[in-house]
Amino acid sequence: MASEISQRYRTVPREQLVETVSRAFDGNLAVICRQDWEPIGDFIVYITRLRLERGFTLSEVQRAFGLFRRMMIDRLPFRFG
């Protein structure tokens, strides 16, 4: 699925993609369920560092979050609306 975003995402090791998605999920869950903003803040620092180190454009990261949102919504046991 990462290849939908850009060529550059195809070079990211699967393990790192799993870690990134897990951190994003955990951070969002902490905010939604416990109103704990610290994990999402830590994730933002983590993803910003990765973006700058690897030279990802902001639009690539935005597309990655769009893909993350699609993946999470498809897995929810119910739909909002």
Side-chain angles (χ1 to χ4, degrees), residues 18-62:
V18 169
E19 179 182 355
T20 301
V21 169
S22 297
R23 284 179 174 224
F25 180 83
D26 291 344
N28 281 284
L29 187 66
V31 170
I32 292 167
C33 294
R34 300 187 310 272
Q35 292 74 49
D36 179 1
W37 291 83
E38 188 173 346
I40 200 72
D42 292 344
F43 172 73
I44 291 168
V45 170
Y46 166 79
I47 199 71
T48 299
R49 182 181 50 80
L50 283 180
R51 181 178 97 73
L52 296 174
E53 285 175 358
R54 295 193 173 212
F56 287 100
T57 65
L58 185 55
S59 63
E60 285 175 309
V61 175
Q62 288 170 328

